[in-house]
Amino acid sequence: QVQLVESGGGLVQAGGSLRLSCVFSGSLFSRYVMGWYRQAPGKQRELVARITSGGQGNYIDSVKGRFAISRDNSGRTVYLQMNSLKPEDTAVYYCNGELGRLQYWGQGTQVTVSS
């Protein structure tokens, strides 16, 4: 059974930085496509960034150039480095792991950006 545990959220001023971490418990981490999603109040959950098993990252337009996703296969951890944060980045951020039809979610970590 796979478990995902996020950490690193918090309150930061606009222009600041945070690094989110997601620790993967289970097997075959290196084969999973890992992603970070977010959900703001009253909005649908959206994909922010994802990284393939080969390490290729993809981002939504609104975070390109500000966020960076990375993974450490030996440590079974995926990161989201968030720079130049904006108030509109405020949301609960969720870690996601996909392998074929298998999909797992973390419990989420709150990110709040004050103006």
Side-chain angles (χ1 to χ4, degrees), residues 35-99:
W36 286 97
Y37 289 69
R38 66 186 179 188
Q39 187 166 19
K43 294 188 177 181
Q44 289 190 332
R45 190 175 297 189
E46 65 172 352
L47 175 64
V48 176
R50 65 201 305 260
I51 186 166
T52 66
S53 57
Q56 182 174 0
N58 293 284
Y59 306 87
I60 57 172
D61 287 345
S62 61
V63 307
K64 283 181 180 177
R66 300 189 298 121
F67 289 12
I69 190 170
S70 61
R71 66 190 298 160
D72 172 7
N73 286 340
S74 63
R76 299 181 185 180
T77 303
V78 62
Y79 303 98
L80 185 68
Q81 178 66 44
M82 304 186 294
N83 300 324
S84 301
L85 282 161
K86 304 176 180 180
E88 51 263 43
D89 295 318
T90 295
V92 178
Y93 284 70
Y94 296 91
C95 181
N96 172 270
E98 289 186 28
L99 179 61

